[in-house]
Short mmCIF file of all heavy atoms in Angstrom, two decimals:
data_model
loop_
_atom_site.label_atom_id
_atom_site.label_comp_id
_atom_site.label_asym_id
_atom_site.label_seq_id
_atom_site.Cartn_x
_atom_site.Cartn_y
_atom_site.Cartn_z
N THR B 1494 42.97 38.83 6.21
CA THR B 1494 42.61 38.53 7.59
C THR B 1494 43.85 38.38 8.46
O THR B 1494 43.91 38.89 9.58
CB THR B 1494 41.77 37.24 7.64
OG1 THR B 1494 40.69 37.37 6.72
CG2 THR B 1494 41.24 36.99 9.03
N PHE B 1495 44.85 37.67 7.94
CA PHE B 1495 46.10 37.53 8.69
C PHE B 1495 46.78 38.90 8.86
O PHE B 1495 47.34 39.19 9.92
CB PHE B 1495 47.04 36.54 8.00
CG PHE B 1495 46.77 35.11 8.38
CD1 PHE B 1495 45.85 34.34 7.68
CD2 PHE B 1495 47.40 34.53 9.46
CE1 PHE B 1495 45.58 33.03 8.03
CE2 PHE B 1495 47.14 33.21 9.83
CZ PHE B 1495 46.23 32.46 9.11
N LEU B 1496 46.72 39.72 7.84
CA LEU B 1496 47.30 41.07 7.94
C LEU B 1496 46.63 41.87 9.05
O LEU B 1496 47.29 42.46 9.91
CB LEU B 1496 47.14 41.82 6.62
CG LEU B 1496 48.15 41.58 5.50
CD1 LEU B 1496 47.73 42.34 4.25
CD2 LEU B 1496 49.55 42.03 5.93
N ILE B 1497 45.30 41.88 9.03
CA ILE B 1497 44.58 42.68 10.01
C ILE B 1497 44.78 42.13 11.42
O ILE B 1497 45.06 42.88 12.36
CB ILE B 1497 43.08 42.74 9.65
CG1 ILE B 1497 42.90 43.50 8.32
CG2 ILE B 1497 42.27 43.41 10.76
CD1 ILE B 1497 41.50 43.42 7.75
N GLY B 1498 44.65 40.81 11.56
CA GLY B 1498 44.86 40.19 12.88
C GLY B 1498 46.25 40.51 13.41
O GLY B 1498 46.44 40.83 14.58
N GLY B 1499 47.25 40.44 12.52
CA GLY B 1499 48.62 40.74 12.92
C GLY B 1499 48.78 42.20 13.33
O GLY B 1499 49.40 42.52 14.34
N ALA B 1500 48.17 43.09 12.56
CA ALA B 1500 48.27 44.52 12.87
C ALA B 1500 47.68 44.82 14.24
O ALA B 1500 48.25 45.59 15.03
CB ALA B 1500 47.56 45.34 11.79
N LEU B 1501 46.55 44.18 14.55
CA LEU B 1501 45.92 44.41 15.86
C LEU B 1501 46.84 43.93 16.98
O LEU B 1501 46.98 44.59 18.02
CB LEU B 1501 44.57 43.69 15.93
CG LEU B 1501 43.50 44.19 14.96
CD1 LEU B 1501 42.27 43.31 15.01
CD2 LEU B 1501 43.13 45.64 15.27
N ALA B 1502 47.50 42.77 16.75
CA ALA B 1502 48.45 42.27 17.75
C ALA B 1502 49.60 43.26 17.91
O ALA B 1502 50.08 43.50 19.03
CB ALA B 1502 48.97 40.89 17.33
N GLY B 1503 50.04 43.85 16.81
CA GLY B 1503 51.13 44.83 16.86
C GLY B 1503 50.75 46.06 17.66
O GLY B 1503 51.57 46.59 18.43
N ILE B 1504 49.52 46.51 17.50
CA ILE B 1504 49.06 47.65 18.30
C ILE B 1504 49.06 47.27 19.78
O ILE B 1504 49.54 48.02 20.64
CB ILE B 1504 47.65 48.09 17.85
CG1 ILE B 1504 47.70 48.59 16.40
CG2 ILE B 1504 47.10 49.19 18.77
CD1 ILE B 1504 46.33 48.83 15.79
N ALA B 1505 48.56 46.05 20.05
CA ALA B 1505 48.56 45.57 21.44
C ALA B 1505 49.98 45.53 22.00
O ALA B 1505 50.20 45.88 23.16
CB ALA B 1505 47.92 44.18 21.50
N SER B 1506 50.95 45.15 21.18
CA SER B 1506 52.35 45.08 21.64
C SER B 1506 52.83 46.43 22.16
O SER B 1506 53.42 46.52 23.24
CB SER B 1506 53.27 44.65 20.50
OG SER B 1506 52.87 43.43 19.96
N VAL B 1507 52.57 47.47 21.40
CA VAL B 1507 53.04 48.81 21.79
C VAL B 1507 52.37 49.26 23.08
O VAL B 1507 53.01 49.72 24.02
CB VAL B 1507 52.78 49.82 20.65
CG1 VAL B 1507 53.24 51.21 21.05
CG2 VAL B 1507 53.47 49.37 19.37
N ILE B 1508 51.05 49.09 23.11
CA ILE B 1508 50.28 49.51 24.28
C ILE B 1508 50.74 48.75 25.53
O ILE B 1508 50.93 49.32 26.61
CB ILE B 1508 48.77 49.21 24.07
CG1 ILE B 1508 48.28 49.75 22.75
CG2 ILE B 1508 47.95 49.72 25.24
CD1 ILE B 1508 48.01 51.19 22.77
N TYR B 1509 50.94 47.45 25.34
CA TYR B 1509 51.38 46.61 26.45
C TYR B 1509 52.72 47.09 26.99
O TYR B 1509 52.90 47.28 28.19
CB TYR B 1509 51.47 45.16 25.99
CG TYR B 1509 51.82 44.18 27.08
CD1 TYR B 1509 50.82 43.45 27.73
CD2 TYR B 1509 53.15 43.95 27.46
CE1 TYR B 1509 51.14 42.55 28.73
CE2 TYR B 1509 53.47 43.05 28.47
CZ TYR B 1509 52.46 42.34 29.09
OH TYR B 1509 52.77 41.45 30.09
N GLY B 1510 53.65 47.31 26.05
CA GLY B 1510 54.98 47.77 26.47
C GLY B 1510 54.91 49.07 27.25
O GLY B 1510 55.52 49.22 28.31
N LEU B 1511 54.13 50.01 26.72
CA LEU B 1511 54.05 51.33 27.36
C LEU B 1511 53.34 51.26 28.70
O LEU B 1511 53.62 52.04 29.61
CB LEU B 1511 53.32 52.31 26.44
CG LEU B 1511 54.07 52.69 25.15
CD1 LEU B 1511 53.17 53.51 24.24
CD2 LEU B 1511 55.35 53.46 25.48
N LYS B 1512 52.39 50.33 28.83
CA LYS B 1512 51.60 50.28 30.07
C LYS B 1512 52.22 49.36 31.11
O LYS B 1512 52.38 49.72 32.26
CB LYS B 1512 50.17 49.83 29.75
CG LYS B 1512 49.32 49.66 30.99
CD LYS B 1512 47.86 49.93 30.76
CE LYS B 1512 47.08 49.81 32.05
NZ LYS B 1512 47.44 50.83 33.03
N ILE B 1513 52.58 48.15 30.69
CA ILE B 1513 53.07 47.15 31.64
C ILE B 1513 54.57 47.34 31.88
O ILE B 1513 55.08 47.01 32.95
CB ILE B 1513 52.74 45.72 31.15
CG1 ILE B 1513 51.27 45.63 30.70
CG2 ILE B 1513 53.06 44.67 32.21
CD1 ILE B 1513 50.23 45.78 31.79
N LYS B 1514 55.30 47.77 30.87
CA LYS B 1514 56.71 48.20 30.97
C LYS B 1514 57.72 47.08 31.19
O LYS B 1514 58.91 47.35 31.32
CB LYS B 1514 56.88 49.25 32.09
CG LYS B 1514 56.07 50.51 31.84
CD LYS B 1514 56.34 51.58 32.90
CE LYS B 1514 55.47 52.78 32.67
NZ LYS B 1514 54.07 52.53 33.04
N THR B 1515 57.26 45.83 31.23
CA THR B 1515 58.19 44.72 31.30
C THR B 1515 57.81 43.71 30.22
O THR B 1515 56.63 43.34 30.15
CB THR B 1515 58.12 44.00 32.66
OG1 THR B 1515 58.18 44.99 33.67
CG2 THR B 1515 59.24 43.01 32.82
N ILE B 1516 58.79 43.32 29.41
CA ILE B 1516 58.48 42.31 28.40
C ILE B 1516 59.51 41.20 28.48
O ILE B 1516 60.61 41.38 29.02
CB ILE B 1516 58.43 42.92 26.97
CG1 ILE B 1516 59.80 43.48 26.58
CG2 ILE B 1516 57.36 44.01 26.87
CD1 ILE B 1516 59.86 43.95 25.14
#
Side-chain angles (χ1 to χ4, degrees):
Chain B
T1494 307
F1495 275 89
L1496 277 175
I1497 295 170
L1501 296 174
I1504 296 171
S1506 303
V1507 179
I1508 309 281
Y1509 184 97
L1511 292 172
K1512 176 150 183 65
I1513 312 293
K1514 299 185 183 73
T1515 311
I1516 62 174

